[in-house]
Structures are given as structure tokens and as C-alpha cells.
Amino acid sequence: FEALHKSTSTELSFEEASQKIKERDVAHRETIIRIESSIESGFNLEAITLEECLISNCLFNYLEGLGIKAKGLSFQKLLKKCMDSSNDSSGLFYEVDAWRIKRNNAIHGFIESTLKSFSESQEKFDLFSRETALEGHALCRRACDWYLEESINFIPTEFPDDGRELN
């Protein structure tokens, strides 16, 4: 359905649209693998950065699929536009928004943690950034699943009942 929608709403052929979607899906899977590897290796800031990129990509693709311009929007603005445009009742967007704040603290807090009493603040920072990376990993999986479900709806598949019976 997503390839059909992309081919009818852009200048791409169905085959080209299908190929682009396959390539994106491979990139998403490889990103998840890289995130897991980063967390296992203790590179939590790398994992967090990749997680933001992956979730942002899902949000961007969703908005573009709805015909809403999303190019150049920040992570926060992508999230806000999705909240306004989606009927998601799972709480995913609110969880991603809460994680976004933790992400900011982790990414921007690294320098601050090294300026304080190094050993104590570094331990706290490492624990916080690991927890944030693990939470982000779970949110990436949920965001990808959510996007797959939503992309089916880019093309209407239910039609209003006009009262006529089908023979």
C-alpha cells in the first residue's frame, strides 16, 4: 500500500517506489543493529543519536505520506505535527516526547558531567545515558511498528456505505 501511495502521489513508478521503500527498510534494520551494538559497547550517546534519527525518519515519512510538509522540521516539531495529525491512542508520542527530554539531557549533559567531580558525576551520567539509550531502543521498535501500521492507511481502503447492496 505504501508503494502504491508513493507511486501515485509522486513521479515515481511503482517499481521505483517499491525499491525506495525496501532500501529505507534495510536502513532501518541496519540502524537497529547499530543501536544494539552501540549500547552493548557502551557507546550510549551514539545509540541515542541514532535512535533520534530513526524515530525522526518514521515521523517524517508519516507526515509526508499524509501530504504534510516536514522537511527541515526539528525532532520536537515533527513530533508535535504527528501528535496533531494522528489518532494514535497508544501513548507512543507522549513517551517519545518524554524520552526526547532525556535525550537532550544525555547529549548535552556529557560536558557538564565531566566538569563536576569526575568519577561520581561520570558514573551517574553513564547510568543515565545507558537507561536513555535502552528506552530509546524500545521506542524505535514501537515507532517503526506504528509507522508500518499507519502507512497502510495512506490510501483509503474503507469506503462509505451508500446503502446499495452488492450482487
Side-chain angles (χ1 to χ4, degrees), residues 19-152:
Q19 185 60 36
K20 286 195 173 293
I21 291 167
K22 287 176 188 174
E23 290 169 1
R24 185 205 59 219
D25 290 347
V26 167
H28 281 192
R29 284 192 300 276
E30 288 178 4
T31 301
I32 291 285
I33 291 168
R34 179 70 180 255
I35 289 167
E36 291 167 349
S37 175
S38 296
I39 293 170
E40 288 173 19
S41 301
F43 297 114
N44 298 308
L45 297 180
E46 177 181 358
I48 292 166
T49 302
L50 290 169
E51 290 160 354
E52 178 189 347
C53 290
L54 180 54
I55 294 169
S56 290
N57 187 262
C58 290
L59 300 176
F60 175 86
N61 289 329
Y62 173 73
L63 291 170
E64 289 284 313
L66 294 179
I68 299 169
K69 297 291 182 206
K71 188 171 184 164
L73 294 179
S74 68
F75 185 41
Q76 183 178 16
K77 288 181 180 175
L78 285 170
L79 188 55
K80 173 76 170 101
K81 277 196 178 273
C82 285
M83 286 176 167
D84 294 342
S85 303
S86 173
N87 295 326
D88 180 62
S89 61
S90 71
L92 174 64
F93 295 136
Y94 295 104
E95 291 177 49
V96 169
D97 195 39
W99 176 82
R100 181 187 60 77
I101 294 166
K102 291 178 188 176
R103 171 246 173 245
N104 288 343
N105 291 335
I107 297 295
H108 300 293
F110 179 74
I111 298 298
E112 188 176 312
S113 74
T114 58
L115 293 176
K116 294 182 182 173
S117 166
F118 185 73
S119 62
E120 180 186 328
S121 64
Q122 190 64 38
E123 277 182 32
K124 286 181 183 177
F125 175 79
D126 288 343
L127 181 60
F128 175 75
S129 63
R130 179 170 172 75
E131 289 170 358
T132 303
L134 290 170
E135 184 180 346
H137 177 257
L139 288 171
C140 281
R141 291 195 176 277
R142 285 185 57 203
C144 287
D145 290 346
W146 165 82
Y147 177 75
L148 285 175
E149 284 183 33
E150 291 298 318
S151 67
I152 293 170

